[in-house]
Amino acid sequence: MSDELFDSVDALLSGVRTGLPVPAERQRLRLAAGLTVTQIAVALRVDSALVRGWEDGTAVPGPDITPAYARLLDGLAARFPAPEQPAAAPAPQAAPQASVAPAPVLDQNPDGSLAMFEAQLCVQCGQPSVYRAQGRPMHLGGFCRPAAAPVPEAAAPAAPTVQAEQSAPAPAPAAAPVPAAAPPRPVSPAPGAGGEQRPGGSRTPARTAAARAAASAAPAAAKWWPMVALDVAEDGTWALDIPGFPAPAGMKLGDWFAWLGTGLPLRIERAHPSGRGGDGTVCLTTGALKQLGLPAVLPGTEKALASLQAKLAKAAATVGMEVSEHVGPTFHAFRRAGSAGGQKTSVRVVVAPWLGQGDARQQATSALALPLATASEGAVDGATFARRFRAFTTDLGVAPGATTATTGMALLEAVRPRVEWVKDPATGEWSSHLREGALPSGDLCVPPAAGARHPLTRRLLAAGEAVCEEEDYKWWARELTAEESVRPWAVAVDVCASYLSVTDSLRLPAGPLELVTNPDWNGGKTAGLWWCDFTTTAVDELLPHPATFHGRQPTGPGWYATPTVAYMATAYGFDPATITQAYLSTHTVPLLKEWTGHVRAGYKRAYADLGLTDGQSPTEFLAAYAVHKDTGTDPARNDALVLAGLYKNIYKGGIGKWSASARHLDDQAWLEKVATSWSYRPEIRFHIIAAARIAAHRRLRKTLQLTGRAPFAVNVDSYLYAADQPSPLEFLPVKDDGTPVPGALRLGIAPGSHKHEASIPLEAALEVMGRREHPSRLVHDYTTDGTAIDQDQAAAEGDGAETDEEGGN
């Protein structure tokens, strides 16, 4: 019995007498050295929450970690000894507790850095302080500057308080120091957070201990970073591409997993208060792979992959971590709640040298990452990937997904969450419900707009019934007029980001479509599909028909989306009262407003880095566009060119995703997994494409009315005009002052504006049309000045996305 009692006492003593300084002194030493909780946690291979507990007295270091922690504190104490306290004045009336009061524990941000506020008078010394302890103004522990005459806090008169504020300006820590090097593009900072600096910076010996501690405890604003690249420096130490980012404590694989589990400042912040954030990412370079003992090339056999996965899992288990079941170019390292080693955490890992390798599944999950990681010289580079990844997430607010289409949908879910969580004040239980205007799940398809693969569509077509055919213009062309046929050039112009020019305010069908007989038109305020007969409605003969994708007159009634019907009614006098039935949405909302704002902002920022901005004159724009792809070795321009292409493909793929055919799935699996998803809504895609096609027709019609010029061929959003010069300037309408006419064709990079694609000899275009082929196939065979391009060069430089259907998946 006595042995059990002795064991209990020994256990109690081991928890009380650690041989370490008191918690407040531990914090003082860390702050004096300019270290953060995360950096200490990384060095000791523990969770950041434990270090915070050691400093606020709520936790005690275990016997296995105490010696290392004591060594750290002893080393800091030798460098930053506690300052001598001034002798107390022999005033018997002084409160005895004032001289023995423990150093306060100052309020901190989640990352361990001190929270800073507007300077107010310290409750201990009466001098200004930017720090708080339990919400009260207070200085760093032990560094209060004694006032000339100690005055009890409650008895301090108003006038001396004002005088103290005026005579003692706020100390230097109130302003964040400027970092030595401009950091990479960050995500938005956590509210009120302080940031990190590299410890061990230059210090002037003559500075007082108080000033030194105050300066080191006031780093720049901390930020959550979406990604960091881990590399090895020339001296063999770890190198990270974010200044001040904590590095692994050791060079082994176990040290790396310990580092991943210490609560690194890696995260993608949520883009909406009701949304969710995302895991941060660590990118491994070739040097990091070699240092960690991992293969430079992803193993190509199941046996080798299994061996690699076992090696990673074993190293992760030493610190309570796990890795994804399938290891490839991207995988996750995580710790479950309640596991040994620290708190729950999850980090995404991207191995840059492995991108583009592996089986079809592994390549598919990293398909979008490969172009982000490919440098200008064609090599896959981890630092390039991390830099572009941070720019991508800063622009859009989400991480790039496996494909542009899935990324587009992930962005919509991030900026306009479908689900909102609510806490019951009575029970404390949380429950979720769809937010107002959210898209519901389930197969909501109606026969006219179910998509080509849906059984409803197949049955309608088999019965000879009409389905909705709202698509981009396809291969429309007409005979040239006598005036056009004598002009020497066919000049091609292309719409920039045509969908983004309409999705901002476009009202879309969020609710299910319901069949209505003799519907009320109400000015087109309700999104839906309308049964209309446009066969007798006269339109402009020199332009493609506004309501059909083939540009020819319809041969009978059909189903049309609201934007098409509204334009036919306002521009050509169609009578909506003749509509006999419609499928109308129960809820109409501007669904893509926030989504458009994010994509358009990223798109315009990337092109601005390439010299293409709003407000350029036509000649300035043409000159800048002609050289915008000549990036040379400039990393900023190379990054911008890659990102601009990705942003375009994201909005195109995102629109196409509304009617995904998912060819890799069989029919039954498609019906169960795709057709019942909230993101499968073909009628939404029909509305977007109809709006973009109508907006294009409206610009063509206004240009025709102002100049008498019309395109003789249209494909998707590429238009060919007959011209006297190899330039579009002659058929673009301008006002008397030379500025573009609103609503007509105009040059520019903004969504809905146009760029010069090519100048084709008209004879070549007519020859192609004589073979019953469309002349737009020549746009990649000629430059903008009309010079023929070598076919091999044209294949290498051609951007198929410019002439492909934007709504395609």
Side-chain angles (χ1 to χ4, degrees):
M1 183 66 177
S2 60
D3 291 341
E4 294 180 3
L5 290 176
F6 289 156
D7 292 340
S8 299
V9 171
D10 290 342
L12 183 62
L13 289 174
S14 67
V16 175
R17 297 189 58 81
T18 62
L20 300 174
V22 296
E25 176 65 6
R26 302 170 197 172
Q27 183 193 56
R28 185 195 71 79
L29 291 172
R30 175 178 63 79
L31 296 175
L35 298 175
T36 66
V37 168
T38 300
Q39 288 172 310
I40 292 181
V42 169
L44 297 177
R45 296 176 64 169
V46 297
D47 192 84
S48 301
L50 289 177
V51 179
R52 297 190 191 99
W54 300 342
E55 293 187 356
D56 62 22
T58 61
V60 177
D64 57 334
I65 203 65
T66 295
Y69 191 36
R71 181 182 178 87
L72 171 65
L73 295 176
D74 289 344
L76 295 179
R79 298 186 184 186
F80 309 103
E84 296 182 1
Q85 297 293 329
Q93 68 274 19
Q97 67 270 24
S99 62
V100 297
V105 178
L106 300 185
D107 296 344
Q108 300 181 20
N109 294 305
D111 66 347
S113 58
L114 293 183
M116 293 187 294
F117 306 84
E118 182 179 354
Q120 293 185 13
L121 300 187
C122 174
V123 297
Q124 291 185 332
C125 70
Q127 301 298 315
S129 174
V130 295
Y131 305 109
R132 302 287 187 273
Q134 297 183 348
R136 298 194 304 166
M138 198 171 294
H139 280 104
L140 294 171
F143 293 112
C144 282
R145 290 174 291 175
V151 180
E153 180 184 356
T161 301
V162 175
Q163 178 64 27
E165 290 179 349
Q166 294 174 347
S167 61
V178 179
R185 293 166 58 85
V187 296
S188 56
E196 300 179 0
Q197 287 179 314
R198 289 190 182 274
S202 60
R203 295 183 174 91
T204 305
R207 295 170 64 188
T208 64
R212 182 169 63 243
S216 63
K223 301 172 177 68
W224 289 103
W225 299 93
M227 170 177 280
V228 65
L230 182 65
D231 201 354
V232 178
E234 293 182 358
D235 61 359
T237 60
W238 289 119
L240 297 104
D241 67 339
I242 295 178
F245 201 95
M251 307 299 289
K252 303 300 182 183
L253 193 57
D255 299 321
W256 178 66
F257 275 111
W259 176 67
L260 294 179
T262 54
L264 299 175
L266 290 173
R267 183 161 182 80
I268 297 175
E269 288 293 271
R270 57 186 181 182
H272 188 280
S274 297
R276 295 185 297 178
D279 290 341
T281 304
V282 170
C283 179
L284 295 180
T285 63
T286 301
L289 277 183
K290 182 178 180 181
Q291 179 60 51
L292 295 174
L294 298 176
V297 178
L298 183 66
T301 64
E302 290 295 331
K303 182 178 180 180
L305 274 174
S307 176
L308 173 62
Q309 205 277 344
K311 178 179 180 179
L312 291 170
K314 182 179 180 180
T318 61
V319 290
M321 299 279 286
E322 301 177 55
V323 296
S324 304
E325 181 179 353
H326 300 284
V327 173
T330 64
F331 62 92
H332 273 79
F334 58 93
R335 182 188 292 122
R336 301 179 191 273
S339 298
Q343 62 184 5
K344 178 181 178 181
T345 188
S346 178
V347 180
R348 184 174 181 238
V349 178
V350 174
V351 185
W354 295 353
L355 292 173
Q357 301 177 14
D359 57 24
R361 178 184 177 279
Q362 292 168 329
Q363 293 187 38
T365 57
S366 59
L368 197 55
L370 185 58
L372 282 172
T374 304
S376 56
E377 66 276 11
V380 177
D381 177 63
T384 298
F385 178 59
R387 187 176 64 247
R388 292 173 179 173
F389 186 100
R390 287 191 291 263
F392 186 104
T393 54
T394 300
D395 284 340
L396 299 192
V398 295
T403 67
T404 54
T406 56
T407 303
M409 285 300 167
L411 174 60
L412 179 58
E413 180 75 353
V415 300
R416 194 184 180 92
R418 297 173 56 248
V419 174
E420 186 174 46
W421 288 84
V422 178
K423 185 177 182 179
D424 189 329
T427 64
E429 297 292 330
W430 288 87
S431 61
S432 63
H433 63 85
L434 288 180
R435 299 177 65 242
E436 182 180 359
L439 299 176
S441 299
D443 189 343
L444 305 178
C445 291
V446 295
R453 194 170 181 180
H454 203 285
L456 290 175
T457 302
R458 294 175 178 175
R459 284 198 289 269
L460 269 187
L461 294 178
E465 301 290 336
V467 296
C468 184
E469 295 182 319
E470 295 280 18
E471 298 290 349
D472 291 300
Y473 283 124
K474 301 286 182 60
W475 311 110
W476 174 84
R478 59 169 174 80
E479 294 289 334
L480 275 70
T481 65
E483 184 180 2
E484 291 171 335
S485 61
V486 298
R487 293 191 167 111
W489 295 99
V491 175
V493 294
D494 181 78
V495 184
C496 297
S498 61
Y499 295 161
L500 290 183
S501 68
V502 299
T503 51
D504 181 54
S505 58
L506 179 63
R507 299 184 64 80
L508 294 167
L513 299 182
E514 296 181 353
L515 181 61
V516 179
T517 303
N518 298 322
D520 178 20
W521 171 241
N522 74 2
K525 297 178 182 178
T526 304
L529 305 176
W530 310 76
W531 182 253
C532 303
D533 187 352
F534 296 140
T535 55
T536 59
T537 304
V539 296
D540 297 282
E541 295 182 355
L542 293 179
L543 298 177
H545 195 284
T548 62
F549 71 91
H550 47 70
R552 300 187 298 273
Q553 188 80 9
T555 58
W559 292 101
Y560 299 92
T562 300
T564 299
V565 182
Y567 183 64
M568 292 297 294
T570 57
Y572 295 106
F574 170 74
D575 185 5
T578 61
I579 301 175
T580 57
Q581 56 182 335
Y583 283 95
L584 302 182
S585 173
T586 58
H587 200 32
T588 302
V589 296
L591 183 67
L592 298 180
K593 183 176 182 61
E594 299 86 357
W595 181 88
T596 303
H598 280 69
V599 179
R600 185 168 55 191
Y603 164 92
K604 296 180 75 171
R605 185 205 60 77
Y607 274 114
D609 288 348
L610 296 170
L612 299 166
T613 60
D614 290 339
Q616 291 177 314
S617 68
T619 53
E620 289 174 336
F621 171 76
L622 290 175
Y625 191 83
V627 299
H628 82 282
K629 293 185 179 181
D630 301 334
T631 59
T633 59
D634 184 352
R637 287 178 60 84
N638 278 309
D639 292 354
L641 188 61
V642 170
L643 292 173
L646 285 180
Y647 297 156
K648 289 197 298 182
N649 288 330
I650 283 170
Y651 79 73
K652 295 175 185 179
I655 301 305
K657 188 68 173 176
W658 292 112
S659 58
S661 60
R663 298 181 182 88
H664 63 285
L665 298 175
D666 59 49
D667 287 352
Q668 187 59 36
W670 180 86
L671 282 173
E672 294 173 356
K673 297 181 179 180
V674 177
T676 59
S677 170
W678 66 268
S679 61
Y680 185 77
R681 297 290 297 271
E683 71 275 17
I684 290 180
R685 176 179 174 273
F686 285 149
H687 274 71
I688 296 170
I689 292 181
R693 191 189 66 245
I694 291 302
H697 193 279
R698 183 180 288 109
R699 290 189 291 266
L700 295 176
R701 186 169 189 251
K702 187 165 187 177
T703 301
L704 173 63
Q705 293 171 340
L706 293 172
T707 66
R709 309 286 284 272
F712 66 86
V714 174
N715 182 37
V716 190
D717 50 13
S718 178
Y719 318 135
L720 271 71
Y721 278 81
D724 295 320
Q725 301 293 329
S727 170
L729 295 178
E730 68 178 78
F731 55 81
L732 299 181
V734 295
K735 295 187 289 188
D736 294 340
D737 60 0
T739 59
V741 175
L745 294 188
R746 60 184 299 170
L747 293 175
I749 200 61
S753 296
H754 301 73
K755 57 183 180 289
H756 185 189
E757 269 194 299
S759 295
I760 306 165
L762 186 62
E763 183 179 353
L766 293 175
E767 180 183 353
V768 168
M769 294 174 68
R771 298 197 302 265
R772 303 184 67 82
E773 298 178 10
H774 199 271
S776 65
R777 63 178 295 271
L778 298 175
V779 295
H780 295 306
D781 295 346
Y782 293 88
T783 64
T784 53
D785 63 2
T787 303
I789 301 175
D790 178 76
Q791 294 305 307
D792 293 337
Q793 180 184 354
E797 297 181 355
D799 182 5
E802 299 296 340
T803 55
D804 289 344
E805 178 189 0
E806 287 196 334
N809 188 14

PDB file of all heavy atoms in Angstrom, residues 286 289-290 294-301 304-305 308 351 353-358:
ATOM      1  N   THR A 286      12.100  19.086 -55.614  1.00  0.00           N
ATOM      2  CA  THR A 286      13.018  17.979 -55.867  1.00  0.00           C
ATOM      3  C   THR A 286      14.030  17.841 -54.738  1.00  0.00           C
ATOM      4  O   THR A 286      14.346  16.728 -54.284  1.00  0.00           O
ATOM      5  CB  THR A 286      13.738  18.199 -57.203  1.00  0.00           C
ATOM      6  OG1 THR A 286      12.764  18.297 -58.253  1.00  0.00           O
ATOM      7  CG2 THR A 286      14.691  17.060 -57.506  1.00  0.00           C
ATOM      8  N   LEU A 289      12.381  16.273 -51.655  1.00  0.00           N
ATOM      9  CA  LEU A 289      12.188  14.833 -51.842  1.00  0.00           C
ATOM     10  C   LEU A 289      13.466  14.066 -51.542  1.00  0.00           C
ATOM     11  O   LEU A 289      13.457  13.038 -50.845  1.00  0.00           O
ATOM     12  CB  LEU A 289      11.746  14.549 -53.284  1.00  0.00           C
ATOM     13  CG  LEU A 289      10.272  14.696 -53.637  1.00  0.00           C
ATOM     14  CD1 LEU A 289      10.048  14.297 -55.078  1.00  0.00           C
ATOM     15  CD2 LEU A 289       9.406  13.858 -52.726  1.00  0.00           C
ATOM     16  N   LYS A 290      14.574  14.548 -52.076  1.00  0.00           N
ATOM     17  CA  LYS A 290      15.853  13.873 -51.869  1.00  0.00           C
ATOM     18  C   LYS A 290      16.226  13.859 -50.395  1.00  0.00           C
ATOM     19  O   LYS A 290      16.689  12.840 -49.858  1.00  0.00           O
ATOM     20  CB  LYS A 290      16.939  14.557 -52.692  1.00  0.00           C
ATOM     21  CG  LYS A 290      18.304  13.895 -52.596  1.00  0.00           C
ATOM     22  CD  LYS A 290      19.313  14.605 -53.490  1.00  0.00           C
ATOM     23  CE  LYS A 290      20.684  13.951 -53.398  1.00  0.00           C
ATOM     24  NZ  LYS A 290      21.680  14.658 -54.255  1.00  0.00           N
ATOM     25  N   LEU A 294      12.598  10.281 -50.295  1.00  0.00           N
ATOM     26  CA  LEU A 294      11.479   9.863 -51.134  1.00  0.00           C
ATOM     27  C   LEU A 294      11.924   9.805 -52.594  1.00  0.00           C
ATOM     28  O   LEU A 294      12.823  10.545 -52.998  1.00  0.00           O
ATOM     29  CB  LEU A 294      10.308  10.837 -50.974  1.00  0.00           C
ATOM     30  CG  LEU A 294       9.718  10.940 -49.558  1.00  0.00           C
ATOM     31  CD1 LEU A 294       8.636  12.004 -49.507  1.00  0.00           C
ATOM     32  CD2 LEU A 294       9.166   9.589 -49.108  1.00  0.00           C
ATOM     33  N   PRO A 295      11.301   8.958 -53.397  1.00  0.00           N
ATOM     34  CA  PRO A 295      11.748   8.799 -54.789  1.00  0.00           C
ATOM     35  C   PRO A 295      11.511  10.050 -55.617  1.00  0.00           C
ATOM     36  O   PRO A 295      10.513  10.762 -55.430  1.00  0.00           O
ATOM     37  CB  PRO A 295      10.908   7.624 -55.301  1.00  0.00           C
ATOM     38  CG  PRO A 295       9.712   7.591 -54.413  1.00  0.00           C
ATOM     39  CD  PRO A 295      10.181   8.050 -53.066  1.00  0.00           C
ATOM     40  N   ALA A 296      12.436  10.314 -56.544  1.00  0.00           N
ATOM     41  CA  ALA A 296      12.310  11.479 -57.414  1.00  0.00           C
ATOM     42  C   ALA A 296      11.208  11.302 -58.445  1.00  0.00           C
ATOM     43  O   ALA A 296      10.676  12.280 -58.971  1.00  0.00           O
ATOM     44  CB  ALA A 296      13.645  11.758 -58.115  1.00  0.00           C
ATOM     45  N   VAL A 297      10.858  10.040 -58.732  1.00  0.00           N
ATOM     46  CA  VAL A 297       9.811   9.717 -59.696  1.00  0.00           C
ATOM     47  C   VAL A 297       8.761   8.876 -58.986  1.00  0.00           C
ATOM     48  O   VAL A 297       9.097   7.980 -58.202  1.00  0.00           O
ATOM     49  CB  VAL A 297      10.386   8.953 -60.914  1.00  0.00           C
ATOM     50  CG1 VAL A 297       9.274   8.582 -61.884  1.00  0.00           C
ATOM     51  CG2 VAL A 297      11.449   9.789 -61.612  1.00  0.00           C
ATOM     52  N   LEU A 298       7.503   9.156 -59.231  1.00  0.00           N
ATOM     53  CA  LEU A 298       6.426   8.396 -58.607  1.00  0.00           C
ATOM     54  C   LEU A 298       6.499   6.941 -59.047  1.00  0.00           C
ATOM     55  O   LEU A 298       6.560   6.654 -60.255  1.00  0.00           O
ATOM     56  CB  LEU A 298       5.066   8.989 -58.989  1.00  0.00           C
ATOM     57  CG  LEU A 298       3.836   8.335 -58.357  1.00  0.00           C
ATOM     58  CD1 LEU A 298       3.828   8.572 -56.845  1.00  0.00           C
ATOM     59  CD2 LEU A 298       2.558   8.907 -58.975  1.00  0.00           C
ATOM     60  N   PRO A 299       6.530   5.980 -58.117  1.00  0.00           N
ATOM     61  CA  PRO A 299       6.602   4.563 -58.495  1.00  0.00           C
ATOM     62  C   PRO A 299       5.483   4.178 -59.450  1.00  0.00           C
ATOM     63  O   PRO A 299       4.337   4.624 -59.308  1.00  0.00           O
ATOM     64  CB  PRO A 299       6.474   3.833 -57.157  1.00  0.00           C
ATOM     65  CG  PRO A 299       6.974   4.817 -56.151  1.00  0.00           C
ATOM     66  CD  PRO A 299       6.560   6.160 -56.654  1.00  0.00           C
ATOM     67  N   GLY A 300       5.834   3.328 -60.398  1.00  0.00           N
ATOM     68  CA  GLY A 300       4.871   2.972 -61.440  1.00  0.00           C
ATOM     69  C   GLY A 300       4.193   1.641 -61.257  1.00  0.00           C
ATOM     70  O   GLY A 300       3.322   1.281 -62.048  1.00  0.00           O
ATOM     71  N   THR A 301       4.558   0.876 -60.227  1.00  0.00           N
ATOM     72  CA  THR A 301       3.936  -0.425 -59.996  1.00  0.00           C
ATOM     73  C   THR A 301       3.158  -0.407 -58.694  1.00  0.00           C
ATOM     74  O   THR A 301       3.448   0.394 -57.784  1.00  0.00           O
ATOM     75  CB  THR A 301       5.003  -1.533 -59.930  1.00  0.00           C
ATOM     76  OG1 THR A 301       5.853  -1.310 -58.792  1.00  0.00           O
ATOM     77  CG2 THR A 301       5.857  -1.525 -61.198  1.00  0.00           C
ATOM     78  N   ALA A 304       5.478  -1.136 -55.665  1.00  0.00           N
ATOM     79  CA  ALA A 304       6.312  -0.005 -55.260  1.00  0.00           C
ATOM     80  C   ALA A 304       5.478   1.092 -54.611  1.00  0.00           C
ATOM     81  O   ALA A 304       5.908   1.727 -53.644  1.00  0.00           O
ATOM     82  CB  ALA A 304       7.072   0.533 -56.468  1.00  0.00           C
ATOM     83  N   LEU A 305       4.279   1.322 -55.124  1.00  0.00           N
ATOM     84  CA  LEU A 305       3.401   2.326 -54.513  1.00  0.00           C
ATOM     85  C   LEU A 305       2.991   1.916 -53.109  1.00  0.00           C
ATOM     86  O   LEU A 305       2.940   2.744 -52.190  1.00  0.00           O
ATOM     87  CB  LEU A 305       2.155   2.532 -55.383  1.00  0.00           C
ATOM     88  CG  LEU A 305       2.264   3.537 -56.533  1.00  0.00           C
ATOM     89  CD1 LEU A 305       0.994   3.518 -57.373  1.00  0.00           C
ATOM     90  CD2 LEU A 305       2.505   4.944 -55.992  1.00  0.00           C
ATOM     91  N   LEU A 308       5.840   2.603 -50.822  1.00  0.00           N
ATOM     92  CA  LEU A 308       5.952   4.031 -50.530  1.00  0.00           C
ATOM     93  C   LEU A 308       4.890   4.461 -49.528  1.00  0.00           C
ATOM     94  O   LEU A 308       5.174   5.207 -48.579  1.00  0.00           O
ATOM     95  CB  LEU A 308       5.823   4.828 -51.826  1.00  0.00           C
ATOM     96  CG  LEU A 308       5.748   6.350 -51.678  1.00  0.00           C
ATOM     97  CD1 LEU A 308       7.024   6.894 -51.045  1.00  0.00           C
ATOM     98  CD2 LEU A 308       5.504   7.007 -53.041  1.00  0.00           C
ATOM     99  N   VAL A 351       3.429  16.984 -54.365  1.00  0.00           N
ATOM    100  CA  VAL A 351       4.811  16.661 -54.701  1.00  0.00           C
ATOM    101  C   VAL A 351       5.038  17.113 -56.140  1.00  0.00           C
ATOM    102  O   VAL A 351       4.619  16.454 -57.086  1.00  0.00           O
ATOM    103  CB  VAL A 351       5.084  15.162 -54.542  1.00  0.00           C
ATOM    104  CG1 VAL A 351       6.565  14.868 -54.775  1.00  0.00           C
ATOM    105  CG2 VAL A 351       4.666  14.686 -53.157  1.00  0.00           C
ATOM    106  N   PRO A 353       7.558  17.287 -58.324  1.00  0.00           N
ATOM    107  CA  PRO A 353       8.180  16.445 -59.344  1.00  0.00           C
ATOM    108  C   PRO A 353       7.304  15.283 -59.805  1.00  0.00           C
ATOM    109  O   PRO A 353       7.565  14.698 -60.862  1.00  0.00           O
ATOM    110  CB  PRO A 353       9.448  15.922 -58.640  1.00  0.00           C
ATOM    111  CG  PRO A 353       9.723  16.906 -57.562  1.00  0.00           C
ATOM    112  CD  PRO A 353       8.379  17.360 -57.101  1.00  0.00           C
ATOM    113  N   TRP A 354       6.278  14.909 -59.034  1.00  0.00           N
ATOM    114  CA  TRP A 354       5.413  13.797 -59.419  1.00  0.00           C
ATOM    115  C   TRP A 354       4.212  14.230 -60.254  1.00  0.00           C
ATOM    116  O   TRP A 354       3.460  13.377 -60.744  1.00  0.00           O
ATOM    117  CB  TRP A 354       4.890  13.085 -58.171  1.00  0.00           C
ATOM    118  CG  TRP A 354       5.953  12.405 -57.354  1.00  0.00           C
ATOM    119  CD1 TRP A 354       7.272  12.253 -57.669  1.00  0.00           C
ATOM    120  CD2 TRP A 354       5.772  11.804 -56.062  1.00  0.00           C
ATOM    121  NE1 TRP A 354       7.938  11.592 -56.659  1.00  0.00           N
ATOM    122  CE2 TRP A 354       7.038  11.293 -55.663  1.00  0.00           C
ATOM    123  CE3 TRP A 354       4.688  11.627 -55.217  1.00  0.00           C
ATOM    124  CZ2 TRP A 354       7.223  10.636 -54.445  1.00  0.00           C
ATOM    125  CZ3 TRP A 354       4.863  10.975 -54.011  1.00  0.00           C
ATOM    126  CH2 TRP A 354       6.122  10.478 -53.630  1.00  0.00           C
ATOM    127  N   LEU A 355       3.977  15.525 -60.393  1.00  0.00           N
ATOM    128  CA  LEU A 355       2.806  15.983 -61.149  1.00  0.00           C
ATOM    129  C   LEU A 355       2.877  15.482 -62.595  1.00  0.00           C
ATOM    130  O   LEU A 355       3.928  15.533 -63.229  1.00  0.00           O
ATOM    131  CB  LEU A 355       2.725  17.510 -61.130  1.00  0.00           C
ATOM    132  CG  LEU A 355       2.409  18.139 -59.771  1.00  0.00           C
ATOM    133  CD1 LEU A 355       2.525  19.649 -59.846  1.00  0.00           C
ATOM    134  CD2 LEU A 355       1.019  17.732 -59.302  1.00  0.00           C
ATOM    135  N   GLY A 356       1.741  15.007 -63.098  1.00  0.00           N
ATOM    136  CA  GLY A 356       1.698  14.460 -64.460  1.00  0.00           C
ATOM    137  C   GLY A 356       2.108  13.010 -64.548  1.00  0.00           C
ATOM    138  O   GLY A 356       2.112  12.445 -65.644  1.00  0.00           O
ATOM    139  N   GLN A 357       2.443  12.402 -63.412  1.00  0.00           N
ATOM    140  CA  GLN A 357       2.859  11.003 -63.399  1.00  0.00           C
ATOM    141  C   GLN A 357       1.771  10.144 -62.763  1.00  0.00           C
ATOM    142  O   GLN A 357       0.799  10.638 -62.212  1.00  0.00           O
ATOM    143  CB  GLN A 357       4.173  10.849 -62.630  1.00  0.00           C
ATOM    144  CG  GLN A 357       5.328  11.659 -63.194  1.00  0.00           C
ATOM    145  CD  GLN A 357       6.589  11.531 -62.358  1.00  0.00           C
ATOM    146  OE1 GLN A 357       6.706  10.661 -61.509  1.00  0.00           O
ATOM    147  NE2 GLN A 357       7.545  12.430 -62.593  1.00  0.00           N
ATOM    148  N   GLY A 358       1.966   8.820 -62.832  1.00  0.00           N
ATOM    149  CA  GLY A 358       1.028   7.906 -62.210  1.00  0.00           C
ATOM    150  C   GLY A 358      -0.036   7.418 -63.168  1.00  0.00           C
ATOM    151  O   GLY A 358      -0.009   7.685 -64.377  1.00  0.00           O
TER     152      GLY A 358
END
